[in-house]
């Protein structure tokens, strides 16, 4: 058998990410095992309180994953009659497919809007133009860890009487004028997939909100539509953040700000040192507004750049190669013409970024990028 050497700079080594907290994580796991209670118990209650306090909101509701979190927000609004089937939800065209799936699974209509090219996020001017008679909500996705322009989007939502929902799956800890992601709209969805800035050791998600009624609805919906054992007042789902993952997240939450600070150091090193005419670097935005879940550059010769980096032992990834409106699952949206989104998806390349990257690894990425040969 031929052995393959590991990359000099892996895209993300989750084992290495979790290693500094290994003792704390093991102690938390033992605590859960010894408790004998594994679903909807004290660890979840504690995490929900701690994460709500961290985000600056009244409620956190732990659910099975980030897509469920986003879907259940819309489902709860449907149950309340705030939304009805066939209503339109403005979504970023430039996003992961989950943002669209949460809309369509609830029989709502996604209206994709082109991004602001500098931030990759929703362009408020284009959002304003896209609002129509059936528009009922704006879904702001904080893509790659950078907050969307929530001041402008909140003003549009206020004037037009729209819901403002945050897809904060990549933005744990990002802040906007002193307020954290998750506290900037009517409700927000988080993912705790292992690779996130706040990642579990399995899957998980959460809804955060200041709306007491919405929180109560989602607590029931995540548990078979039951607010009281064996009484089911609505058609619910089974989507609960389990005790083990809640315990792991409590450990990791206590280190989130420090990890994000280190990510910013890595990102600024890239931004300061990489100077190449064919590699376009991302903007940082306002202080605190970016937690660098991903460091995404653009290049018209993406594949050549990716292969060049691989030759240096650097693992780069593409987030995301095909926009949602061009996916086979959304054949009904093929008529949409979104040239900026399509160009972005053809050019983006994510460089390795993590709180655990060492200086020599950062320098390896910088040197490889700087040595990329100019194209014809």
């Amino acid at each position: 058998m031929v052995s393959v050497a590991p990359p000099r700079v892996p895209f993300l080594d989750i084992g290495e990410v979790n290693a500094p907290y290994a003792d704390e994580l093991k102690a938390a796991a033992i605590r859960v095992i010894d408790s004998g209670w594994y679903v909807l118990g004290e660890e979840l209650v504690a995490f929900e309180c701690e994460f709500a306090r961290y985000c600056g909101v009244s409620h956190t509701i732990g659910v099975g994953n980030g897509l469920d979190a986003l879907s259940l927000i819309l489902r709860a609004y449907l149950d309340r009659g705030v939304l009805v089937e066939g209503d339109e939800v403005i979504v970023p065209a430039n996003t992961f497919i989950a943002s669209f799936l949460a809309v369509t699974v609830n029989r709502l209509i996604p209206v994709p809007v082109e991004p602001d090219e500098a931030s990759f996020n929703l362009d408020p001017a284009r959002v304003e133009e896209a609002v129509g008679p059936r528009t009922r909500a704006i879904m702001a996705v904080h893509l790659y860890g950078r907050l969307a322009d929530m001041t402008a989007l909140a003003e549009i939502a206020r004037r037009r009487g729209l819901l403002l929902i945050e897809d904060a799956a990549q933005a744990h800890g990002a802040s906007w004028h002193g307020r954290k992601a998750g506290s900037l709209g009517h409700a927000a969805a988080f993912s705790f997939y292992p690779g996130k800035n706040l990642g579990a050791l399995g899957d998980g998600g959460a809804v955060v909100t200041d709306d007491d009624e919405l929180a109560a609805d989602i607590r029931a919906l995540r548990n078979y539509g039951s607010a009281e054992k064996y009484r089911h007042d609505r058609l619910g789902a089974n989507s609960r953040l389990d005790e083990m993952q809640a315990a792991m997240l409590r450990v990791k939450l206590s280190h989130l700000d420090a990890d994000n600070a280190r990510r910013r150091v890595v990102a600024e090193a890239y931004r300061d040192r990489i100077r190449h005419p064919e590699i376009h670097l991302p903007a940082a935005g306002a202080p605190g507004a970016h937690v660098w879940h991903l460091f995404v550059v653009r290049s018209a010769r993406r594949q050549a750049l990716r292969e060049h980096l691989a030759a240096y032992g650097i693992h780069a990834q593409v987030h995301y190669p095909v926009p949602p409106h061009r996916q086979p699952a959304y054949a009904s949206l093929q008529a949409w013409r979104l040239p900026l989104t399509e160009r972005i998806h053809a050019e983006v390349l994510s460089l390795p970024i993590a709180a655990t990257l060492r200086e020599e690894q950062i320098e390896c990425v910088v040197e490889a990028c700087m040595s990329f040969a100019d194209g014809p």
Side-chain angles (χ1 to χ4, degrees), residues 136-195:
R136 296 293 181 270
I138 300 168
M139 183 183 294
V141 179
H142 305 315
L143 198 65
Y144 310 143
R146 177 172 171 169
L147 294 182
D149 186 347
M150 295 301 290
T151 300
L153 294 175
E155 173 58 20
I156 295 169
R158 184 194 63 78
R159 282 190 289 101
R160 299 298 193 107
L162 305 176
L163 296 170
L164 180 56
I165 298 165
E166 296 176 74
D167 180 343
Q170 300 181 353
H172 315 73
S175 61
W176 185 264
H177 300 298
R179 297 173 61 191
K180 287 280 202 316
S183 69
L184 303 167
H186 293 95
F190 284 90
S191 166
F192 303 126
Y193 187 76

Side-chain angles (χ1 to χ4, degrees), residues 92-98 100 112 114-115 302 318-331 333-334 336-348:
N94 181 47
T95 187
F96 181 55
I97 197 170
F100 279 55
E114 291 269 55
R302 176 177 68 195
V318 177
H319 298 88
Y320 304 96
V322 181
H325 74 284
R326 289 291 184 224
Q327 295 285 355
Y330 284 111
L333 300 179
Q334 293 290 321
W336 281 89
R337 292 293 176 263
L338 300 161
L340 176 54
T341 291
E342 289 161 19
R343 187 166 74 251
I344 287 171
H345 281 250
E347 294 179 352
V348 290

Side-chain angles (χ1 to χ4, degrees), residues 11-22 25 194-200 252 255 259 263 353-357:
F11 182 75
L12 180 64
D13 185 333
I14 295 178
E16 187 174 328
V17 167
N18 288 325
Y21 322 125
L25 293 169
K196 304 296 186 185
N197 291 36
L198 180 59
K252 306 262 314 257
H255 300 284
D259 285 352
R263 284 175 174 271
I353 189 165
T356 52
L357 277 190

Side-chain angles (χ1 to χ4, degrees), residues 207-230:
V207 174
V208 302
T209 185
D210 278 323
D211 185 330
D212 297 345
E213 185 178 352
L214 182 71
D217 289 344
I218 293 173
R219 288 189 193 281
L221 285 170
R222 73 173 177 185
N223 190 36
Y224 300 100
S226 174
E228 177 185 336
K229 192 169 184 178
Y230 299 133

